[in-house]
Amino acid sequence: MVYVNKLNRKGKISMQDVSPYLFISPFFILFAVFMLYPLVYSLVLSFSEWRGGEINYVGLANYQQLFTDPLFWQSLYVTGLILVIQVPIMLLLATVLATVLNSNLLRFKGIFRLAFFMPVLIDLVTYSLVFSLMFNENYGMINQFLGLFGIEPIRWFADGFWAKVLIIVALTWRWTGYNTIIILSGLQNVPRDLYESANIDGAGPVTSFFKITVPMLKPVILFCAILSTIGTLQLFAEPYVLTGGGPRNETTTVILYLYDKAFGSFNFGLASAGAYVVTTIIAILSYLQIRMSKGGEI
Amino acid sequence: MHMRQEFNKLLLLIVAMVGVTISIFPFYWMFTASTLTESQIFKVPPTLVPGTNFFENLDKLQNAWPVWKALFNSIFVSGITTVTTVFFSALAGFAFAKYQFKGRELLFFAVLLIMMVPTQVMLVPMFIIMMNFDWIDTYYALIIPFLVTPFGVFLMRQQMLGFPTELIEAARIDGCKDLGIFFKIVLPTMKPACAALGIVTFMQQWGNFIWPLVVINSREMYTLPLMLAMMVQPGQVVQYGPVMVGAVLGLIPMLLLFLLFQKHFVSGVFSGSVKG
């Protein structure tokens, strides 16, 4: 590879030796102040007690307090449960929809693609509000609709189980289209003749889906799975707006828990320790997902 | 054989139609609810046709909440951070892709590393920094921490690796200065990449919720999503008509952006965003 400033090198400092540093300096100054420094600061805080600007070293006390707080474990459990149920459902749905959008048999694909993409445009607070209206326990249209089939009104907000279902439904609505578009681009790289020969061999659409589409898409689905895992572990806006973490903390995600510790009770040390624990979990899960699918490239 | 194909066609169409209905319906209901009175919104069975109450709802909203200020704040904050992120990322990405300099690998590794770290880790220290700077409840807090993103630098470097080095050398031989090369040759050809990065950045900033929630206290400084969330806090009398008008107003900039940059939207969105 040829680099630009190797061209006229005469052994003294020229403009071309300085330029790259000038070019990266606006970024790195801000990067250092608002990203690197906070990252280190957070680590220091996690071993300290913060009181009105005073930082006192307390060793592992924050971590100890964190790991003995049942609510922390519950918030991890809730987050994990949502993750384990929502991500596979969403990725399966997205793969099915992408396959449908990729089929030669479907017409008006442009319009369908546009429609699936719509939820990507809405911000997390706004769609949570729309969902809280639709899922209103007494008058919401979802319960009315279910009533048509003789189903009793579901207590979406008062019942811990259904509150989790509500969040899973909301997440799936918001993110399936996003993943569909990514998977669709992966699908367009799968050679068509694979399907044609499968078709000649008598494979139906369902067989082709599981024998060709899913294996060929492994790397793309892995990419989506990692992004979704990271996203779900950082889940905040939806439970904050939809359920407020309730009932009885049954939808309190780990970031909601940390937010509450930090800005509800100003326990900055504990919150920082928790943030580092979450980051470690994210790193481990991402690593495992990459390892698990050895052979697939991202 | 022909029958089976027809059946498959129908099956695909049904799946697609169900998917579209589910995707679109919440939007339809949001727009419809913004035009209904409170009792129409909660009527049994539900009112599914738009009503005539939009301007009454808008009136109620702007009388009770600083909605236009919030809309302005959102556009202002997202707009500035988008422009600076794209510009500084292109500049740094260019240096990383096309120059050889001491510390290049190490610095780029730092960028990659921070990209992996969830932003929530920085929440508490950033809040303390904002307090120390006395920036709580100001535009500084909303804007300055987001003037650049590591992801932007990463994306721009990737895009610029493919840029022909010969072109840059030729320009240099013709006497063009480094900054001139960047502005006259590199930046114009990078327009699609800039557009894609710009869209992701704008969307992320627009949807940024936890940070404004932490650093903003006064109603005049609310961003639109923050204002909407505050409208349904416990202790508020929630009026869904006005809330949905606010939701519609917040969606309009994103729809316009989408219509203008449709092509770049999809490539931008690939680059990833997160729940939060």
Side-chain angles (χ1 to χ4, degrees):
Chain A
M1 184 169 282
V2 186
Y3 290 101
V4 185
N5 55 340
K6 281 213 170 139
L7 255 181
N8 56 356
R9 209 169 254 291
K10 284 166 199 150
K12 57 177 182 180
I13 292 178
S14 72
M15 201 46 213
Q16 277 153 43
D17 294 314
V18 186
S19 321
Y21 294 107
L22 289 179
F23 288 175
I24 63 170
S25 57
F27 170 77
F28 269 98
I29 291 167
L30 290 160
F31 179 75
V33 179
F34 295 110
M35 279 165 250
L36 288 180
Y37 172 66
L39 199 66
V40 178
Y41 196 171
S42 196
L43 191 63
V44 173
L45 275 171
S46 77
F47 296 106
S48 322
E49 192 186 42
W50 189 90
R51 239 187 227 135
E54 291 275 304
I55 295 176
N56 295 312
Y57 179 74
V58 293
L60 290 170
N62 288 321
Y63 289 93
Q64 204 169 20
Q65 198 192 336
L66 190 70
F67 289 133
T68 50
D69 185 353
L71 196 52
F72 174 68
W73 290 104
Q74 194 189 331
S75 73
L76 270 182
Y77 167 75
V78 167
T79 313
L81 193 69
I82 293 175
L83 175 78
V84 169
I85 295 171
Q86 195 263 335
V87 174
I89 292 178
M90 175 180 68
L91 293 182
L92 184 67
L93 272 178
T95 313
V96 171
L97 288 179
T99 312
V100 169
L101 280 181
N102 196 41
S103 168
N104 280 332
L105 296 175
L106 186 74
R107 282 191 291 170
F108 313 114
K109 277 190 235 185
I111 295 173
F112 284 123
R113 203 172 307 175
L114 204 69
F116 290 146
F117 196 74
M118 278 292 279
V120 178
L121 299 180
I122 198 166
D123 72 87
L124 308 181
V125 170
T126 307
Y127 95 86
S128 302
L129 286 169
V130 179
F131 270 67
S132 74
L133 176 57
M134 288 171 64
F135 285 79
N136 183 294
E137 291 178 353
N138 301 318
Y139 313 99
M141 52 178 39
I142 299 295
N143 274 353
Q144 289 187 37
F145 178 75
L146 294 173
L148 295 179
F149 304 97
I151 298 170
E152 290 289 301
I154 291 173
R155 294 161 67 232
W156 296 106
F157 300 93
D159 185 294
F161 172 79
W162 290 110
K164 288 189 200 78
V165 174
L166 170 61
I167 286 179
I168 288 171
V169 170
L171 285 177
T172 307
W173 179 82
R174 172 63 173 74
W175 295 96
T176 301
Y178 170 79
N179 288 288
T180 303
I181 302 291
I182 297 178
I183 294 172
L184 181 63
S185 81
L187 259 185
Q188 282 162 350
N189 296 326
V190 178
R192 288 258 168 196
D193 29 325
L194 272 183
Y195 291 102
E196 276 155 28
S197 50
N199 197 20
I200 292 165
D201 292 344
V206 177
T207 318
S208 313
F209 177 78
F210 284 106
K211 295 273 164 162
I212 302 175
T213 310
V214 174
M216 289 296 283
L217 283 179
K218 212 171 125 190
V220 183
I221 293 178
L222 172 71
F223 174 74
C224 290
I226 292 175
L227 278 187
S228 306
T229 302
I230 297 173
T232 309
L233 287 171
Q234 299 182 50
L235 193 61
F236 175 76
E238 289 92 339
Y240 182 91
V241 175
L242 269 172
T243 59
R248 294 168 305 280
N249 292 314
E250 288 199 59
T251 56
T252 299
T253 60
V254 65
I255 299 295
L256 199 57
Y257 168 85
L258 295 179
Y259 168 81
D260 194 54
K261 287 295 168 205
F263 303 103
S265 42
F266 291 98
N267 198 338
F268 286 162
L270 185 72
S272 297
Y276 263 92
V277 173
V278 175
T279 307
T280 311
I281 295 173
I282 289 179
I284 293 172
L285 284 185
S286 307
Y287 174 75
L288 286 180
Q289 281 171 327
I290 293 169
R291 273 296 295 274
M292 241 167 52
S293 64
K294 263 218 157 149
E297 286 169 44
I298 332 175
Chain B
M1 197 65 192
H2 188 69
M3 273 276 286
R4 203 177 84 182
Q5 182 145 23
E6 284 305 307
F7 173 75
N8 286 346
K9 219 181 213 173
L10 191 68
L11 189 74
L12 288 178
L13 193 67
I14 291 172
V15 175
M17 291 297 278
V18 172
V20 164
T21 312
I22 295 173
S23 290
I24 296 291
F25 186 77
F27 289 100
Y28 178 76
W29 178 232
M30 180 176 125
F31 285 110
T32 307
S34 73
T35 65
L36 299 175
T37 64
E38 219 58 19
S39 58
Q40 282 170 326
I41 290 176
F42 289 114
K43 220 177 80 182
V44 181
T47 321
L48 284 175
V49 248
T52 53
N53 215 47
F54 182 83
F55 290 101
E56 282 83 346
N57 286 336
L58 180 62
D59 247 14
K60 270 189 208 156
L61 175 63
Q62 55 186 6
N63 289 337
W65 296 85
V67 55
W68 300 113
K69 186 70 196 304
L71 193 62
F72 167 80
N73 289 344
S74 274
I75 295 174
F76 181 65
V77 169
S78 311
I80 289 187
T81 49
T82 300
V83 170
T84 57
T85 294
V86 170
F87 180 70
F88 290 136
S89 299
L91 206 54
F94 175 54
F96 276 121
K98 293 292 164 190
Y99 284 87
Q100 182 74 273
F101 54 93
K102 266 209 189 86
R104 190 178 69 140
E105 270 72 33
L106 186 72
L107 289 173
F108 190 66
F109 181 70
V111 174
L112 285 181
L113 202 68
I114 297 275
M115 227 171 79
M116 313 281 174
V117 177
T119 48
Q120 280 87 350
V121 181
M122 274 82 124
L123 210 57
V124 166
M126 287 281 279
F127 177 75
I128 297 175
I129 295 172
M130 295 298 125
M131 276 199 312
N132 292 339
F133 286 175
D134 217 0
W135 282 355
I136 298 291
D137 217 23
T138 65
Y139 284 122
Y140 298 118
L142 289 176
I143 293 172
I144 292 178
F146 303 100
L147 288 176
V148 296
T149 61
F151 170 71
V153 173
F154 171 75
L155 184 84
M156 280 303 177
R157 175 186 168 272
Q158 296 302 99
Q159 300 288 331
M160 291 196 186
L161 283 176
F163 188 86
T165 309
E166 297 78 20
L167 268 181
I168 301 170
E169 286 164 2
R172 178 157 296 146
I173 290 163
D174 289 345
C176 201
K177 292 271 183 310
D178 288 18
L179 210 58
I181 292 173
F182 175 73
F183 277 110
K184 285 187 202 138
I185 302 169
V186 179
L187 208 52
T189 52
M190 285 294 145
K191 265 186 199 155
C194 290
L197 175 62
I199 285 160
V200 196
T201 312
F202 193 89
M203 278 180 82
Q204 270 174 358
Q205 283 308 311
W206 189 274
N208 193 352
F209 174 59
I210 195 167
W211 182 246
L213 182 67
V214 166
V215 293
I216 296 304
N217 307 317
S218 64
R219 293 158 60 107
E220 284 298 304
M221 288 304 299
Y222 284 168
T223 58
L224 197 72
L226 182 61
M227 186 199 85
L228 291 175
M230 289 304 147
M231 288 176 78
V232 299
Q233 287 288 297
Q236 297 286 345
V237 183
V238 181
Q239 287 190 298
Y240 274 99
V243 171
M244 289 301 128
V245 170
V248 170
L249 289 178
L251 191 64
I252 290 173
M254 217 49 79
L255 282 176
L256 288 177
L257 204 68
F258 179 67
L259 292 175
L260 280 174
F261 294 102
Q262 245 198 73
K263 212 171 47 187
H264 305 294
F265 233 98
V266 172
S267 64
V269 162
F270 281 136
S271 17
S273 67
V274 277
K275 305 163 184 175

